[in-house]
């Protein structure tokens, strides 16, 4: 399965949504949350094509509304939180910025707390790393037996951090925002992360970070063992 932590498009317009519709075939299954460059239109189209689109309200089900907040794929329990800066068709897909407020961080913390109190979740997906700052501090201050792995995006930087049992993984970028972002320092390569895990109970045993030169296609990988 592929976990995609947002920013599949630039503005989330219908044209872009049509151009990216086949991405759902990239994995078995393709699981996504929205980023600040995605829109209500683009996420709806992804769901219509067969992707599992996760939001703070639950899995988006076209024509129905929202399903469960936690979905199980290949034995892994996954929840996701849509970007508070997701663009809207009603606003002509206007840029809503990329900053996250204190209130939005608090809302995410409360959402995650309620989710964990109701049952178990193995992976939580969210686009903006700054949105999870308060929640991660809370998890680290009061370690749970098995805190969820948190998968993020947005920064275009690869990051694997394990502190007091809380694992954060950012795979990097596959070109989000256009090729101009590849000129940024430390963002001169495409990237992805591969989670290697054992099931029942779920635990990540290693994370492979893969870097790909966009010009030559050459690639390198580095494994970080966690168990």
């Amino acid at each position: 399965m592929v976990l995609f932590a947002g920013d599949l498009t630039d503005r989330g317009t219908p044209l872009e949504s049509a151009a990216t519709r086949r991405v759902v075939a990239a994995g078995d299954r393709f699981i996504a949350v929205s980023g600040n460059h995605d829109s209500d239109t683009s996420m709806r189209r992804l769901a219509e094509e067969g992707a599992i689109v996760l939001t703070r309200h639950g899995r988006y089900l076209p024509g129905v509304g929202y399903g469960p907040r936690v979905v199980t794929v290949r034995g892994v329990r996954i929840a996701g939180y849509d970007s508070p800066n997701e663009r809207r068709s009603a606003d002509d897909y206007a840029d809503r910025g990329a900053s996250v407020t204190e209130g939005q961080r608090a809302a995410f913390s409360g959402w995650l707390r309620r989710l964990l109190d109701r049952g178990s979740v193995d992976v939580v997906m969210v686009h903006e790393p700054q949105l999870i700052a308060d929640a991660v501090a809370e998890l680290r201050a009061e370690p749970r037996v098995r805190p969820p792995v948190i998968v993020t995006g947005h920064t275009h930087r690869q990051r694997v951090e394990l502190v007091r049992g809380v694992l954060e993984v950012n795979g990097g970028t596959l070109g989000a925002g256009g090729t101009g972002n590849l000129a940024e320092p430390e963002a001169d390569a495409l990237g992805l992360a591969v989670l290697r895990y054992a099931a029942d109970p779920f635990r990540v045993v290693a994370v492979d970070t893969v870097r790909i030169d966009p010009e030559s296609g050459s690639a390198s990988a580095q494994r970080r063992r966690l168990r």
Side-chain angles (χ1 to χ4, degrees), residues 175-203:
T179 55
N181 282 316
L182 296 177
E184 296 177 8
E186 301 180 12
D188 58 349
L190 306 179
L192 57 90
V194 180
L195 300 183
R196 300 191 177 275
Y197 64 92
D200 196 26
F202 171 85
R203 65 189 187 281

Side-chain angles (χ1 to χ4, degrees), residues 126-133 136 152-155 159 168 170:
V126 59
H127 181 64
E128 294 95 342
Q130 62 266 42
L131 189 65
I132 69 174
V136 168
T152 62
H154 190 60
T155 65
R159 182 167 178 256
E168 295 179 57
N170 189 321

Side-chain angles (χ1 to χ4, degrees), residues 148-167:
V149 176
I150 301 179
V151 175
T152 62
H154 190 60
T155 65
H156 304 180
R157 304 290 195 276
Q158 287 186 330
R159 182 167 178 256
V160 178
E161 183 173 86
L162 177 63
V163 177
R164 301 197 68 185
V166 181
L167 175 63

